[in-house]
Amino acid sequence: MTDDAGARTTVTQRAIEEIKTRIAMGAFTPGQRLPTERDLAADLGLSRSSMREAIRALTVMGVLEARHGAGIYVTQLQPGDLLETFGVVAEISRGDTLLHLVQVRKILEPAAAAAAAARIDDEGLARLRAEMTAMERGANAEEIVGHDLEFHRIITEAAGNPVLSAILGGLNSRTFRARVWRGYREEGVFARTYREHDAIYRALVERDPDGARVAAAVHIGAVEEWARRQQEEEE
């Protein structure tokens, strides 16, 4: 990187931090249209090129949204918007990174299951039962994993924390391909997964947070062992 490029990066980073600070302080609010690029650059004492790079970076992060012909807006700043970039990383991960992502699931999913055990209603339990039935009848790995994802989504939704739901939703949905691949490579994996899901479901039915936490930890532990074997094979 040249000195000019390094200086530009520093200025751009300052612009990014200034816009984030204004959002955090309430000067720019969710859904608000920003001043024009020219006015914003003048206000911050920056070049338009640095401001353009800052806006582009914040758009990638999910903080800003470019609307064709309408300008730049602050997004609604929902957890799912802000974690989109993280989800893309999860989707293409292999080896060490895939293992580490599964280990994050192992930390968070038991907590979500425990919280859901205290909150889930009869409708939520019925939806879980329907997803389990669909998993059992699935004709191929893609179909089975799709119902698996929905099973976990219902649980995290019942936990009542939208940030936790967004994080786990990104981890689960964006590792779809890896889990399908596991289904085709590992004999008997779906039968074991069904039993593990059934243990989670029964703990939720019994409104047993500790039981749900343990059952979820056992389930994700099995996924972790698979991810560890994949990592070793790639080394």
Side-chain angles (χ1 to χ4, degrees):
M1 178 180 289
T2 66
D3 290 343
D4 286 347
R8 187 170 63 252
T9 299
T10 301
V11 173
T12 299
Q13 187 61 41
R14 182 162 65 85
I16 290 171
E17 294 304 321
E18 179 61 29
I19 293 172
K20 286 164 57 180
T21 296
R22 293 191 180 195
I23 292 171
M25 297 298 291
F28 298 147
T29 58
Q32 178 182 337
R33 184 180 186 275
L34 292 186
T36 65
E37 182 183 284
R38 175 186 297 172
D39 290 344
L40 198 53
D43 184 25
L44 297 180
L46 302 173
S47 68
R48 290 186 64 180
S49 61
S50 293
M51 181 54 59
R52 189 174 301 115
E53 290 179 13
I55 289 172
R56 185 180 300 118
L58 288 165
T59 300
V60 171
M61 293 177 196
V63 175
L64 300 180
E65 173 189 7
R67 300 181 187 175
H68 184 67
I72 304 296
Y73 289 76
V74 181
T75 69
Q76 293 302 317
L77 301 179
Q78 296 299 313
D81 297 329
L82 302 179
L83 290 167
E84 180 65 23
T85 303
F86 165 75
V88 172
V89 173
E91 186 173 19
I92 62 176
S93 295
R94 300 181 61 186
D96 286 349
T97 303
L98 177 60
L99 175 61
H100 295 157
L101 289 168
V102 173
Q103 288 170 338
V104 173
R105 280 190 67 198
K106 190 178 179 182
I107 295 169
L108 297 179
E109 293 240 18
R119 297 172 55 93
I120 195 165
D121 57 18
D122 290 342
E123 180 185 354
L125 291 171
R127 290 163 62 200
L128 288 178
R129 184 77 257 175
E131 293 303 326
M132 291 175 65
T133 299
M135 276 191 286
E136 197 171 26
R137 296 174 179 173
N140 53 57
E142 287 82 0
E143 184 179 345
I144 294 169
V145 172
H147 291 295
D148 181 327
L149 295 178
E150 182 62 13
F151 178 90
H152 287 285
R153 192 195 67 77
I154 292 168
I155 292 173
T156 57
E157 179 185 82
N161 185 315
V163 175
L164 181 61
S165 294
I167 293 171
L168 286 174
L171 285 169
N172 283 323
S173 64
R174 298 312 181 99
T175 54
F176 178 85
R177 293 188 184 91
R179 292 157 79 176
V180 168
W181 184 53
R182 180 193 181 199
Y184 283 120
R185 287 184 49 127
E186 188 173 332
E187 185 177 354
V189 63
F190 289 130
R192 292 196 302 276
T193 298
Y194 182 87
R195 292 193 296 270
E196 292 160 4
H197 283 182
D198 187 59
I200 298 170
Y201 171 77
R202 290 180 183 278
L204 295 174
V205 169
E206 294 169 5
R207 304 295 198 273
D208 178 3
D210 288 337
R213 182 183 290 107
V214 171
V218 169
H219 173 50
I220 306 304
V223 181
E224 180 186 20
E225 285 305 308
W226 166 77
R228 194 183 305 280
R229 290 196 299 273
Q230 303 313 303
Q231 176 201 38
E232 291 170 354
E233 288 178 8
E234 292 180 11
E235 289 180 349

mmCIF file of all heavy atoms in Angstrom, residues 80 83-93 98 101 149 168-179:
data_model
loop_
_atom_site.group_PDB
_atom_site.id
_atom_site.type_symbol
_atom_site.label_atom_id
_atom_site.label_comp_id
_atom_site.label_asym_id
_atom_site.label_seq_id
_atom_site.Cartn_x
_atom_site.Cartn_y
_atom_site.Cartn_z
ATOM 1 N N GLY A 80 -30.571 -8.674 12.061
ATOM 2 C CA GLY A 80 -30.337 -9.425 10.830
ATOM 3 C C GLY A 80 -29.617 -8.610 9.770
ATOM 4 O O GLY A 80 -28.800 -9.137 9.020
ATOM 5 N N LEU A 83 -25.835 -8.262 10.754
ATOM 6 C CA LEU A 83 -25.070 -9.510 10.783
ATOM 7 C C LEU A 83 -24.980 -10.170 9.407
ATOM 8 O O LEU A 83 -24.508 -11.291 9.281
ATOM 9 C CB LEU A 83 -25.705 -10.482 11.784
ATOM 10 C CG LEU A 83 -25.542 -10.058 13.252
ATOM 11 C CD1 LEU A 83 -26.462 -10.873 14.142
ATOM 12 C CD2 LEU A 83 -24.107 -10.200 13.707
ATOM 13 N N GLU A 84 -25.424 -9.468 8.378
ATOM 14 C CA GLU A 84 -25.411 -10.048 7.034
ATOM 15 C C GLU A 84 -23.997 -10.404 6.592
ATOM 16 O O GLU A 84 -23.769 -11.473 6.022
ATOM 17 C CB GLU A 84 -26.040 -9.073 6.037
ATOM 18 C CG GLU A 84 -26.084 -9.590 4.604
ATOM 19 C CD GLU A 84 -26.981 -10.799 4.435
ATOM 20 O OE1 GLU A 84 -27.887 -11.002 5.252
ATOM 21 O OE2 GLU A 84 -26.754 -11.557 3.465
ATOM 22 N N THR A 85 -23.032 -9.524 6.831
ATOM 23 C CA THR A 85 -21.657 -9.802 6.431
ATOM 24 C C THR A 85 -21.124 -11.033 7.150
ATOM 25 O O THR A 85 -20.457 -11.891 6.560
ATOM 26 C CB THR A 85 -20.750 -8.599 6.727
ATOM 27 O OG1 THR A 85 -21.276 -7.460 6.038
ATOM 28 C CG2 THR A 85 -19.335 -8.850 6.248
ATOM 29 N N PHE A 86 -21.427 -11.147 8.428
ATOM 30 C CA PHE A 86 -21.036 -12.318 9.198
ATOM 31 C C PHE A 86 -21.634 -13.584 8.582
ATOM 32 O O PHE A 86 -20.980 -14.617 8.473
ATOM 33 C CB PHE A 86 -21.517 -12.154 10.646
ATOM 34 C CG PHE A 86 -21.504 -13.419 11.441
ATOM 35 C CD1 PHE A 86 -20.313 -13.950 11.898
ATOM 36 C CD2 PHE A 86 -22.688 -14.070 11.730
ATOM 37 C CE1 PHE A 86 -20.310 -15.125 12.634
ATOM 38 C CE2 PHE A 86 -22.687 -15.228 12.461
ATOM 39 C CZ PHE A 86 -21.494 -15.765 12.920
ATOM 40 N N GLY A 87 -22.893 -13.500 8.134
ATOM 41 C CA GLY A 87 -23.531 -14.657 7.531
ATOM 42 C C GLY A 87 -22.832 -15.117 6.272
ATOM 43 O O GLY A 87 -22.724 -16.315 6.014
ATOM 44 N N VAL A 88 -22.346 -14.180 5.473
ATOM 45 C CA VAL A 88 -21.624 -14.541 4.251
ATOM 46 C C VAL A 88 -20.348 -15.295 4.597
ATOM 47 O O VAL A 88 -19.996 -16.291 3.955
ATOM 48 C CB VAL A 88 -21.299 -13.275 3.424
ATOM 49 C CG1 VAL A 88 -20.393 -13.623 2.257
ATOM 50 C CG2 VAL A 88 -22.580 -12.631 2.929
ATOM 51 N N VAL A 89 -19.630 -14.845 5.634
ATOM 52 C CA VAL A 89 -18.422 -15.547 6.074
ATOM 53 C C VAL A 89 -18.765 -16.977 6.486
ATOM 54 O O VAL A 89 -18.072 -17.934 6.135
ATOM 55 C CB VAL A 89 -17.750 -14.791 7.240
ATOM 56 C CG1 VAL A 89 -16.599 -15.608 7.826
ATOM 57 C CG2 VAL A 89 -17.237 -13.446 6.776
ATOM 58 N N ALA A 90 -19.854 -17.137 7.232
ATOM 59 C CA ALA A 90 -20.263 -18.469 7.674
ATOM 60 C C ALA A 90 -20.584 -19.373 6.495
ATOM 61 O O ALA A 90 -20.269 -20.569 6.502
ATOM 62 C CB ALA A 90 -21.477 -18.350 8.592
ATOM 63 N N GLU A 91 -21.173 -18.804 5.460
ATOM 64 C CA GLU A 91 -21.620 -19.596 4.327
ATOM 65 C C GLU A 91 -20.470 -20.240 3.568
ATOM 66 O O GLU A 91 -20.597 -21.346 3.049
ATOM 67 C CB GLU A 91 -22.430 -18.707 3.377
ATOM 68 C CG GLU A 91 -23.066 -19.466 2.228
ATOM 69 C CD GLU A 91 -23.981 -18.580 1.428
ATOM 70 O OE1 GLU A 91 -23.862 -17.340 1.519
ATOM 71 O OE2 GLU A 91 -24.833 -19.126 0.706
ATOM 72 N N ILE A 92 -19.334 -19.591 3.495
ATOM 73 C CA ILE A 92 -18.224 -20.088 2.674
ATOM 74 C C ILE A 92 -17.099 -20.682 3.515
ATOM 75 O O ILE A 92 -16.037 -20.999 2.991
ATOM 76 C CB ILE A 92 -17.669 -18.958 1.782
ATOM 77 C CG1 ILE A 92 -17.117 -17.812 2.634
ATOM 78 C CG2 ILE A 92 -18.736 -18.464 0.816
ATOM 79 C CD1 ILE A 92 -16.472 -16.695 1.820
ATOM 80 N N SER A 93 -17.340 -20.854 4.809
ATOM 81 C CA SER A 93 -16.259 -21.283 5.693
ATOM 82 C C SER A 93 -16.004 -22.779 5.626
ATOM 83 O O SER A 93 -16.917 -23.581 5.442
ATOM 84 C CB SER A 93 -16.576 -20.888 7.139
ATOM 85 O OG SER A 93 -16.599 -19.499 7.272
ATOM 86 N N LEU A 98 -14.866 -23.133 9.997
ATOM 87 C CA LEU A 98 -16.112 -23.884 10.155
ATOM 88 C C LEU A 98 -16.186 -24.477 11.555
ATOM 89 O O LEU A 98 -17.224 -24.409 12.220
ATOM 90 C CB LEU A 98 -16.206 -24.992 9.106
ATOM 91 C CG LEU A 98 -17.444 -25.898 9.211
ATOM 92 C CD1 LEU A 98 -18.726 -25.088 9.069
ATOM 93 C CD2 LEU A 98 -17.384 -27.000 8.162
ATOM 94 N N LEU A 101 -16.967 -21.760 14.046
ATOM 95 C CA LEU A 101 -18.362 -21.343 13.963
ATOM 96 C C LEU A 101 -19.270 -22.336 14.684
ATOM 97 O O LEU A 101 -20.207 -21.939 15.395
ATOM 98 C CB LEU A 101 -18.784 -21.209 12.496
ATOM 99 C CG LEU A 101 -18.186 -20.027 11.732
ATOM 100 C CD1 LEU A 101 -18.451 -20.171 10.246
ATOM 101 C CD2 LEU A 101 -18.744 -18.709 12.244
ATOM 102 N N LEU A 149 -33.115 -26.766 9.837
ATOM 103 C CA LEU A 149 -32.909 -25.325 10.042
ATOM 104 C C LEU A 149 -34.148 -24.677 10.646
ATOM 105 O O LEU A 149 -34.047 -23.842 11.564
ATOM 106 C CB LEU A 149 -32.584 -24.643 8.702
ATOM 107 C CG LEU A 149 -31.278 -25.026 8.007
ATOM 108 C CD1 LEU A 149 -31.159 -24.282 6.689
ATOM 109 C CD2 LEU A 149 -30.092 -24.733 8.888
ATOM 110 N N LEU A 168 -27.671 -16.865 15.591
ATOM 111 C CA LEU A 168 -27.838 -18.297 15.346
ATOM 112 C C LEU A 168 -28.466 -18.555 13.984
ATOM 113 O O LEU A 168 -28.138 -19.547 13.333
ATOM 114 C CB LEU A 168 -28.686 -18.916 16.463
ATOM 115 C CG LEU A 168 -27.954 -19.084 17.799
ATOM 116 C CD1 LEU A 168 -28.910 -19.558 18.885
ATOM 117 C CD2 LEU A 168 -26.802 -20.077 17.648
ATOM 118 N N GLY A 169 -29.346 -17.661 13.547
ATOM 119 C CA GLY A 169 -29.912 -17.810 12.209
ATOM 120 C C GLY A 169 -28.837 -17.743 11.148
ATOM 121 O O GLY A 169 -28.831 -18.523 10.189
ATOM 122 N N GLY A 170 -27.884 -16.809 11.319
ATOM 123 C CA GLY A 170 -26.770 -16.710 10.379
ATOM 124 C C GLY A 170 -25.889 -17.932 10.413
ATOM 125 O O GLY A 170 -25.485 -18.459 9.374
ATOM 126 N N LEU A 171 -25.593 -18.425 11.602
ATOM 127 C CA LEU A 171 -24.753 -19.615 11.728
ATOM 128 C C LEU A 171 -25.426 -20.839 11.113
ATOM 129 O O LEU A 171 -24.783 -21.639 10.440
ATOM 130 C CB LEU A 171 -24.460 -19.893 13.210
ATOM 131 C CG LEU A 171 -23.436 -18.984 13.887
ATOM 132 C CD1 LEU A 171 -23.459 -19.216 15.386
ATOM 133 C CD2 LEU A 171 -22.038 -19.249 13.341
ATOM 134 N N ASN A 172 -26.712 -20.972 11.353
ATOM 135 C CA ASN A 172 -27.416 -22.165 10.881
ATOM 136 C C ASN A 172 -27.695 -22.126 9.386
ATOM 137 O O ASN A 172 -27.332 -23.049 8.656
ATOM 138 C CB ASN A 172 -28.728 -22.330 11.658
ATOM 139 C CG ASN A 172 -28.512 -22.880 13.048
ATOM 140 O OD1 ASN A 172 -27.659 -23.729 13.264
ATOM 141 N ND2 ASN A 172 -29.274 -22.388 14.006
ATOM 142 N N SER A 173 -28.310 -21.054 8.919
ATOM 143 C CA SER A 173 -28.695 -21.018 7.514
ATOM 144 C C SER A 173 -27.490 -20.950 6.586
ATOM 145 O O SER A 173 -27.490 -21.536 5.506
ATOM 146 C CB SER A 173 -29.624 -19.829 7.246
ATOM 147 O OG SER A 173 -28.952 -18.610 7.474
ATOM 148 N N ARG A 174 -26.427 -20.255 7.012
ATOM 149 C CA ARG A 174 -25.283 -20.075 6.136
ATOM 150 C C ARG A 174 -24.334 -21.271 6.146
ATOM 151 O O ARG A 174 -23.382 -21.290 5.385
ATOM 152 C CB ARG A 174 -24.531 -18.804 6.518
ATOM 153 C CG ARG A 174 -25.370 -17.535 6.366
ATOM 154 C CD ARG A 174 -26.102 -17.463 5.028
ATOM 155 N NE ARG A 174 -26.862 -16.242 4.894
ATOM 156 C CZ ARG A 174 -26.462 -15.170 4.236
ATOM 157 N NH1 ARG A 174 -25.307 -15.169 3.621
ATOM 158 N NH2 ARG A 174 -27.221 -14.109 4.174
ATOM 159 N N THR A 175 -24.568 -22.251 7.023
ATOM 160 C CA THR A 175 -23.776 -23.493 6.956
ATOM 161 C C THR A 175 -24.599 -24.610 6.328
ATOM 162 O O THR A 175 -24.290 -25.787 6.478
ATOM 163 C CB THR A 175 -23.287 -23.916 8.358
ATOM 164 O OG1 THR A 175 -24.408 -24.001 9.244
ATOM 165 C CG2 THR A 175 -22.288 -22.915 8.920
ATOM 166 N N PHE A 176 -25.647 -24.221 5.597
ATOM 167 C CA PHE A 176 -26.547 -25.188 4.968
ATOM 168 C C PHE A 176 -25.794 -26.176 4.075
ATOM 169 O O PHE A 176 -25.977 -27.392 4.157
ATOM 170 C CB PHE A 176 -27.610 -24.441 4.157
ATOM 171 C CG PHE A 176 -28.579 -25.329 3.429
ATOM 172 C CD1 PHE A 176 -29.696 -25.828 4.068
ATOM 173 C CD2 PHE A 176 -28.370 -25.666 2.089
ATOM 174 C CE1 PHE A 176 -30.603 -26.642 3.409
ATOM 175 C CE2 PHE A 176 -29.266 -26.476 1.418
ATOM 176 C CZ PHE A 176 -30.382 -26.967 2.076
ATOM 177 N N ARG A 177 -24.919 -25.653 3.204
ATOM 178 C CA ARG A 177 -24.223 -26.525 2.256
ATOM 179 C C ARG A 177 -23.343 -27.546 2.975
ATOM 180 O O ARG A 177 -23.289 -28.719 2.584
ATOM 181 C CB ARG A 177 -23.372 -25.686 1.305
ATOM 182 C CG ARG A 177 -24.173 -24.807 0.356
ATOM 183 C CD ARG A 177 -23.273 -24.152 -0.687
ATOM 184 N NE ARG A 177 -24.008 -23.251 -1.537
ATOM 185 C CZ ARG A 177 -24.163 -21.958 -1.302
ATOM 186 N NH1 ARG A 177 -23.622 -21.413 -0.227
ATOM 187 N NH2 ARG A 177 -24.850 -21.193 -2.127
ATOM 188 N N ALA A 178 -22.646 -27.095 4.024
ATOM 189 C CA ALA A 178 -21.778 -28.013 4.767
ATOM 190 C C ALA A 178 -22.595 -29.123 5.415
ATOM 191 O O ALA A 178 -22.178 -30.285 5.446
ATOM 192 C CB ALA A 178 -20.994 -27.239 5.826
ATOM 193 N N ARG A 179 -23.773 -28.789 5.904
ATOM 194 C CA ARG A 179 -24.597 -29.790 6.581
ATOM 195 C C ARG A 179 -25.214 -30.765 5.587
ATOM 196 O O ARG A 179 -25.373 -31.952 5.883
ATOM 197 C CB ARG A 179 -25.657 -29.084 7.416
ATOM 198 C CG ARG A 179 -25.002 -28.337 8.577
ATOM 199 C CD ARG A 179 -25.834 -27.219 9.108
ATOM 200 N NE ARG A 179 -26.901 -27.696 9.984
ATOM 201 C CZ ARG A 179 -27.707 -26.861 10.634
ATOM 202 N NH1 ARG A 179 -27.563 -25.558 10.497
ATOM 203 N NH2 ARG A 179 -28.646 -27.340 11.426
#
